[in-house]
Amino acid sequence: MAEKSQPQNQKTIPPYMKAISGSLGGVVEASCLQPIDVIKTRLQLDRSGNYKGIIHCGSTIVQNEGVRALWKGLTPFATHLTLKYALRMGSNAVLQSAFKDSETGKLSPQGRLLSGFGAGVLEALIIVTPFEVVKIRLQQQRGLKPELMKYKGPIHCARTVIREEGLRGLWAGATPTVMRNGTNQAAMFTAKNAFDVILWKKHEGDGKVLQPWQSMISGFLAGTAGPVCTGPFDVVKTRLMAQSRSGGELKYKGMFHAISTIYAEEGLLALWKGLLPRLMRIPPGQAIMWAVADQVIGFYERTYMHNAPL
């Protein structure tokens, strides 16, 4: 009976190779798009209306803090993206293998969604939350003089948070982060596969390698839906991560309390603050990441395998 399933047991791209492709894509993405992430964070933390929009925010940062300020938090951001994409791509590949039909070897739409959601939850808990806490604490610091800054760098920031707030401080905002990332990745992996099929007639396992520009278009389109759907989770996540327990009583007690407080004090649209810079960062980021990842996976396939399922 084992011989019957053998044709479906053909060689596949190993999860570790998908993890490597994702991490390389993350390095390139972080270097290109860090300024947009800094602007997004500043806009989300701006309660008094200091910034009039994306361009005004960016120009104000440059005028007051210098051009390098647009790359504040790059070290944790690049490290975070590299590890996040490695875990995301690798765990999604493992979960997809687990959800494939044992008889046909095919993955159902539900299996693809669950694999993406599971990968998003894993990356949120293991990597995204602590790295984004450090990144956001560094980005919200305003001022040119290093001696005036509470946090001197990513390691110092992490140590300070642990000392003042305990280890749990690095996981502030974990709940909305899990919801945001799980939903995002469920949508992203499903949409990327769908756009590859619709636009380029690219099916998993057909051995076809997309051109970088094709991967970028599919990745860009796949990255658009998530930010719109998960905007409130992202705003709440940023607010929860930015507040320090060392300053006394916390303004936001948790995800639902933060949502209701922001809605009551700032209105419904405040829950989508920073949406435009997110749309300026995430879809281009996915375009860059997939352009790199698809080429790395394609190179591995062409070099070591023949018609291996992607």
Side-chain angles (χ1 to χ4, degrees):
M1 304 300 268
E3 285 78 13
K4 275 189 162 183
S5 60
Q6 190 63 28
Q8 305 302 334
N9 230 358
Q10 58 185 319
K11 289 193 289 185
T12 60
I13 299 292
Y16 78 82
M17 200 59 221
K18 292 197 173 183
I20 291 171
S21 72
S23 65
L24 292 174
V27 172
V28 179
E29 178 189 336
S31 302
C32 294
L33 300 179
Q34 172 70 359
I36 296 175
D37 194 72
V38 170
I39 291 170
K40 181 210 78 166
T41 300
R42 292 289 182 91
L43 286 172
Q44 288 182 336
L45 295 172
D46 180 29
R47 297 176 196 165
S48 53
N50 292 326
Y51 304 122
K52 311 305 179 189
I54 295 172
I55 296 175
H56 179 258
C57 179
S59 60
T60 301
I61 292 172
V62 171
Q63 288 172 8
N64 295 339
E65 305 170 50
V67 175
R68 290 180 62 187
L70 290 174
W71 275 269
K72 271 188 178 178
L74 177 60
T75 301
F77 185 52
T79 307
H80 147 241
L81 272 191
T82 301
L83 295 174
K84 178 176 76 172
Y85 284 148
L87 179 61
R88 176 190 298 176
M89 299 286 279
S91 62
N92 183 70
V94 171
L95 289 169
Q96 284 193 355
S97 297
F99 281 117
K100 280 181 179 177
D101 187 283
S102 58
E103 296 294 323
T104 65
K106 292 186 177 180
L107 183 67
S108 68
Q110 295 91 336
R112 194 179 303 281
L113 277 169
L114 287 172
S115 299
F117 189 85
V121 170
L122 280 174
E123 71 178 20
L125 289 175
I126 297 174
I127 293 171
V128 176
T129 304
F131 273 95
E132 289 212 357
V133 166
V134 172
K135 182 195 72 173
I136 287 170
R137 296 288 180 90
L138 289 172
Q139 286 180 351
Q140 72 175 339
Q141 295 186 129
R142 296 177 177 85
L144 287 169
K145 298 179 181 177
E147 61 268 19
L148 298 178
M149 296 180 181
K150 178 177 180 179
Y151 306 116
K152 310 304 181 187
I155 303 297
H156 179 261
C157 177
R159 286 177 176 169
T160 303
V161 170
I162 292 172
R163 186 177 67 249
E164 294 182 349
E165 306 170 40
L167 195 60
R168 286 179 58 192
L170 288 175
W171 272 266
T175 301
T177 307
V178 164
M179 294 300 298
R180 182 198 67 171
N181 283 59
T183 306
N184 264 342
Q185 300 329 310
M188 189 273 291
F189 279 109
T190 302
K192 174 64 166 60
N193 180 75
F195 284 122
D196 283 349
V197 172
I198 293 168
L199 296 177
W200 322 119
K201 304 296 187 288
K202 161 73 178 129
H203 295 268
E204 291 191 15
D206 63 5
K208 180 180 178 181
V209 180
L210 297 178
Q211 293 297 315
W213 65 269
Q214 293 175 314
S215 296
M216 291 186 80
I217 291 174
S218 293
F220 185 94
L221 293 172
T224 54
V228 176
C229 298
T230 61
F233 292 133
D234 193 59
V235 171
V236 168
K237 169 199 73 74
T238 302
R239 296 286 181 92
L240 289 173
M241 288 178 173
Q243 63 182 1
S244 171
R245 287 182 174 82
S246 63
E249 193 171 344
L250 297 178
K251 178 178 176 68
Y252 306 115
K253 313 300 183 189
M255 182 176 73
F256 294 109
H257 179 258
I259 290 174
S260 60
T261 302
I262 293 169
Y263 173 74
E265 293 181 355
E266 304 172 50
L268 182 63
L269 289 179
L271 291 169
W272 275 269
K273 268 189 175 181
L275 176 61
L276 187 54
R278 278 192 85 205
L279 287 173
M280 289 177 64
R281 190 189 74 75
I282 292 176
Q286 289 303 298
I288 294 168
M289 193 281 292
W290 280 110
V292 175
D294 281 352
Q295 291 306 302
V296 172
I297 292 172
F299 174 79
Y300 180 89
E301 180 183 0
R302 289 192 302 269
T303 306
Y304 300 104
M305 307 171 71
H306 299 285
N307 295 325
L310 294 175

